[in-house]
Amino acid sequence: MKINLKHTFIEELPADSNTQNTRRQVKEACFSYVQPKPTKDPKLIHVSDKMASALGFSEADIKSQLFLDVFTGNKVFPNTKPYAMCYGGHQFGHWAGQLGDGRAINLFDIENKTQQWTLQLKGAGETPYSRQGDGLAVLRSSIREYLCSEAMYHLGVPTSRALSLALTGDEVLRDMLYDGNAAYEKGAIVTRVAPSFLRFGSYEIFAARQDFKTLKILVDYTIRHHYSHLGKPSKTTYTQFFEEVVQRTLEMIIHWQRVGFVHGVMNTDNMSILGLTIDYGPYGWLEGFDFGWTPNTTDLQNKRYRFGNQPNMVLWNLYQLANALYPLVESAEPFENSLETFKSDFERRSLEMMKSKIGLNMYDAKDELLIKSLEDCLLLSETDMTIFFRQLGNFKKGSASKGLDFVKDAFYSPQEISDSIAQQWRDWFERYDFRLEKETISDKERRLGMNAVNPKYVLRNYMAQMAIDEADKGNYKLIDELYQILKKPYAEQKNHEKWYAKRPDWARHKVGCSMLSCSS
Ligand code: AMP
Ligand code: MG
C-alpha cells in the first residue's frame, strides 16, 4: 500500500502527555495517543470503491491482508501513531463537559490529489474518553453509518465518508431497547473519512476551561489547514472563520431539509467545523412529511431535534461556537452580525430550495405563500415526502384538475383523502398551475430540473433495517445492493423501482424501522 501520509494534527497540536489508556480528564491537549484494540476474527463486509479511489487505494490494496489488518485495528500502519481527540459539547441544550472520541480512533491522514483526509476507526476499543462506554460499535449501527454517509455524499450533501465496514468477530453487549434486557450483538468497525473530524465541541472544551492558549493554537491550526484562504490568523481572520463556518453549516442544513434527513442528535459535539454531516447515530429519513418528526427515542419528550427544528438548532449550536471563539476576538459584534445574517440567509436559501423542489425559477412575491400552502396540504394526510416531490415532477401545465393523479402514490392512506382534503389539493394545484405560467421552461425541462434536486432513492429506515436483518444472518448482498442504488439517487434506475416505494406497513412500528436511540 503506497500512501502519502500526513501527520499535521499530531505534529502541530499539543498531545496529552499521559499515554496510558485510562479514562480521565485531559487538560491542555487536543488528543491522546491510543492503540486500537485487536479483534478476534476480523472480516471485511464492504469497501466503498468510490472512497477507496478518492484516497488512492488500488484494487490490490483493498484485497491485501494489510488493508484488513489496518482497518479493523489489528495492525498499526508503519510510521503512524493513532490517537483519540479531546472535545466537549452541549448535549440536548446543556453543557456536558469533556466527551471526546470515546469509540473513535484516528489512524492517520492521507494526502491524495491535494486533498487531505483523516481516516478514523469507529468501534475499535476504549480510549481515555470512553467514560462508561466500551469503545465498541455493533453491526446494526455500523451498517447504518456506513450506508448513510456514502448515500449522503451521492445526494450532494456535505458529509463525512466511509471507506470500509468490517465485522470484528467479537461480541458486544447492548441493551438495544433500554429495557434492562441486554444481549450480545456482533461487533463491527466502520472506517470513517473526512478532511477533519474537528467539531464545535473541540473549541468549546478549551473555552469552558478558560484555556485560551490551547484554544488559540487549535483555531490557528484549523485556519492554517482547513481555511487557509483566509490568510494569516488574526482577530479579523477569526471572525471571518466564524462567518464561513456559519455559511457552511447553513449550506448543510438546507440540504438536510431538501432531502428529508433528520440527524437526531445535533449536539455541539456532533457539529463539524467544516459544515459536514457527522456522527450518524439515530438519524432517520422523513417518510410522511412531518415537521414534528424525530427518529431519536431519547429525544421524544422535547423533540428538540425534530425535522422542523433542525435549522433553529443549528443556529443555537452556532451561538455556542461563537461563545467559544469570543475570547480570541473580545468583541461580540462580528459574531452577532454573522448570526443575524444566518437568520435572513436561511429564509432566503430555504425559499430558493423549496422553489427548486417544485420547479420554480422566476420571482413571484407570492411564492412563499404557495409553498406554505403546499406544506399545509402535505400535512393533511400522511404523505411520503420523497415520492411526492419526485412525482410532482411529472405534472403537466394545464392539468390542475388532474393534479392529484400525479402524486397519489405518495399517500399512505388514500382513503383519508376526503372531499374536503381533495378540494384543498385541487385549490393548490390550480395556484401551482397558474404560477407555472410565469416560468419560461417546458414541462420536460422543469421535470429534469426537479429530478436533480428531488431524489428518487433515499436510505429509508426500513431499507437499512432489512440490510441489517440479512447481515445478522451472515448475508451481505443487500448492503451492496443498497450501496449501488444509492450511488445514483437522482437517476431513474428502472430495475430498482421496488425501492421507490412507500415504507411497507410491517415497518411502521418495527424497532429500527422508525425509531432508534442514541449511542448504540
Ligand atoms: P454520540 O451520541 O455517538 O455522538 O456520542 C456521544 C459521546 O459518547 C462521544 O464522546 C462518544 O465518543 C461517546 N460514546 C458513545 N458510545 C460510546 C461507547 N460505546 N463507548 C465509549 N464512548 C462512547
Ligand atoms: Mg458524537
Side-chain angles (χ1 to χ4, degrees):
M1 249 173 2
K2 265 216 291 229
I3 52 182
N4 186 14
L5 291 172
K6 282 269 156 181
H7 299 288
T8 55
F9 198 87
I10 52 175
E11 277 170 7
E12 298 175 31
L13 292 169
D16 177 8
S17 54
N18 184 344
T19 53
Q20 301 297 306
N21 195 351
T22 53
R23 285 143 216 235
R24 57 183 178 267
Q25 291 292 308
V26 173
K27 303 276 174 67
E28 293 167 20
C30 295
F31 64 94
S32 308
Y33 288 111
V34 62
Q35 300 280 312
K37 183 179 167 194
T39 60
K40 195 163 139 204
D41 184 16
K43 196 169 136 194
L44 276 173
I45 293 180
H46 207 272
V47 175
S48 162
D49 51 356
K50 292 277 180 194
M51 188 69 246
S53 67
L55 290 168
F57 289 121
S58 67
E59 285 270 321
D61 289 341
I62 295 170
K63 295 206 172 89
S64 68
Q65 183 67 34
L66 185 60
F67 190 93
L68 173 69
D69 288 342
V70 169
F71 297 117
T72 54
N74 287 286
K75 193 175 258 173
V76 172
F77 195 79
N79 304 316
T80 64
K81 286 175 89 177
Y83 61 98
M85 286 155 88
C86 178
Y87 54 80
H90 277 87
Q91 297 188 312
F92 299 96
H94 305 282
W95 176 242
Q98 178 183 298
L99 298 165
D101 285 333
R103 57 163 165 179
I105 297 180
N106 300 277
L107 296 179
F108 46 77
D109 283 13
I110 287 183
E111 194 178 79
N112 190 44
K113 297 186 184 133
T114 72
Q115 172 66 57
Q116 188 163 341
W117 298 100
T118 301
L119 283 77
Q120 178 187 84
L121 302 182
K122 182 162 176 180
E126 359 176 22
T127 76
Y129 309 97
S130 294
R131 297 177 295 149
Q132 299 85 358
D134 53 12
L136 304 175
V138 294
L139 182 58
R140 65 187 149 86
S141 55
S142 305
I143 292 175
R144 284 170 46 79
E145 172 140 22
Y146 180 79
L147 284 178
C148 198
S149 43
E150 289 301 276
M152 289 281 268
Y153 167 72
H154 294 295
L155 281 164
V157 184
T159 179
S160 64
R161 303 282 306 274
L163 171 66
S164 62
L165 168 67
L167 280 169
T168 60
D170 294 310
E171 302 225 293
V172 177
L173 194 60
R174 282 290 181 276
D175 185 357
M176 183 160 82
L177 301 178
Y178 289 81
D179 63 357
N181 292 317
Y184 281 102
E185 297 188 43
K186 292 181 187 176
I189 294 180
V190 173
T191 304
R192 306 199 292 186
V193 185
S196 167
F197 285 97
L198 284 165
R199 310 122 196 276
F200 292 7
S202 307
Y203 308 85
E204 284 179 279
I205 187 77
F206 299 117
R209 289 172 170 166
Q210 309 228 330
D211 175 4
F212 305 132
K213 182 174 159 230
T214 316
L215 175 67
K216 184 174 182 310
I217 293 174
L218 182 61
V219 172
D220 288 358
Y221 171 87
T222 312
I223 294 175
R224 220 166 37 244
H225 289 283
H226 303 290
Y227 290 84
S228 56
H229 55 280
L230 296 178
K232 203 166 156 289
S234 68
K235 283 195 181 184
T236 312
T237 18
Y238 297 147
T239 58
Q240 289 169 340
F241 163 58
F242 181 70
E243 170 64 23
E244 202 167 322
V245 177
V246 169
Q247 290 301 323
R248 288 197 196 189
T249 311
L250 169 63
E251 172 83 18
M252 174 189 81
I253 198 73
I254 294 285
H255 281 293
W256 288 5
Q257 305 305 98
R258 172 175 66 84
V259 299
F261 174 80
V262 187
H263 184 283
V265 210
M266 299 169 66
N267 294 332
T268 57
D269 51 303
N270 291 338
M271 297 291 299
S272 149
I273 201 68
L274 302 181
L276 307 171
T277 312
I278 53 167
D279 277 22
Y280 291 87
Y283 68 82
W285 293 83
L286 281 194
E287 286 171 317
F289 184 82
D290 178 1
F291 288 117
W293 187 69
T294 172
N296 186 352
T297 51
T298 325
D299 189 27
L300 274 189
Q301 203 126 59
N302 299 314
K303 293 197 180 181
R304 181 178 170 86
Y305 298 138
R306 62 190 181 274
F307 177 61
N309 208 31
Q310 295 193 125
N312 293 331
M313 289 300 97
V314 150
L315 181 61
W316 192 91
N317 290 337
L318 286 164
Y319 269 94
Q320 308 316 312
L321 180 65
N323 281 333
L325 299 178
Y326 170 82
L328 300 186
V329 179
E330 292 176 314
S331 159
E333 207 191 330
F335 293 110
E336 280 162 1
N337 291 343
S338 296
L339 292 164
E340 278 307 311
T341 321
F342 176 95
K343 291 181 202 162
S344 48
D345 284 358
F346 175 76
E347 293 304 328
R348 183 176 51 78
R349 299 278 313 268
S350 175
L351 178 62
E352 271 166 19
M353 178 273 285
M354 287 305 292
K355 279 178 65 174
S356 73
K357 282 183 82 65
I358 61 172
L360 303 181
N361 300 312
M362 313 298 277
Y363 171 81
D364 188 300
K366 293 201 290 292
D367 282 345
E368 228 171 312
L369 281 176
L370 182 71
I371 284 160
K372 174 74 181 61
S373 0
L374 170 61
E375 289 166 353
D376 290 344
C377 284
L378 287 170
L379 296 170
L380 292 171
S381 169
E382 193 181 9
T383 310
D384 193 272
M385 177 179 177
T386 305
I387 295 179
F388 176 85
F389 284 101
R390 187 75 183 191
Q391 290 301 117
L392 187 65
N394 298 327
F395 183 81
K396 304 255 181 313
K397 269 189 267 188
S399 54
S401 61
K402 287 195 248 110
L404 267 180
D405 292 347
F406 292 98
V407 298
K408 61 180 189 316
D409 288 344
F411 296 124
Y412 277 90
S413 312
Q415 74 282 2
E416 270 180 30
I417 311 297
S418 61
D419 288 351
S420 75
I421 293 185
Q423 190 54 47
Q424 280 193 62
W425 271 113
R426 275 194 294 273
D427 291 348
W428 186 81
F429 274 109
E430 288 290 345
R431 287 163 67 188
Y432 179 52
D433 198 20
F434 182 73
R435 171 64 182 79
L436 287 178
E437 288 302 320
K438 212 170 181 171
E439 298 292 319
T440 52
I441 51 174
S442 67
D443 282 338
K444 186 179 171 203
E445 285 166 323
R446 187 179 67 255
R447 175 164 51 81
L448 292 177
M450 287 168 74
N451 284 357
V453 292
N454 296 324
K456 181 162 176 175
Y457 301 98
V458 295
L459 182 63
R460 291 170 184 270
N461 310 308
Y462 85 89
M463 291 161 67
Q465 189 58 40
M466 284 173 74
I468 291 166
D469 291 343
E470 289 285 296
D472 266 335
K473 292 183 230 145
N475 182 355
Y476 311 114
K477 269 222 206 72
L478 192 49
I479 294 178
D480 186 58
E481 184 180 334
L482 295 180
Y483 170 81
Q484 300 298 347
I485 294 166
L486 296 169
K487 266 182 180 170
K488 295 189 211 112
Y490 300 100
E492 286 299 326
Q493 303 195 57
K494 289 276 179 228
N495 297 340
H496 296 297
E497 293 251 332
K498 72 169 175 183
W499 299 114
Y500 179 55
K502 285 173 291 213
R503 169 202 60 225
D505 239 12
W506 61 260
R508 178 178 286 268
H509 300 295
K510 186 171 158 26
V511 173
C513 291
S514 53
M515 303 299 287
L516 299 121
S517 59
C518 275
S519 292
S520 40

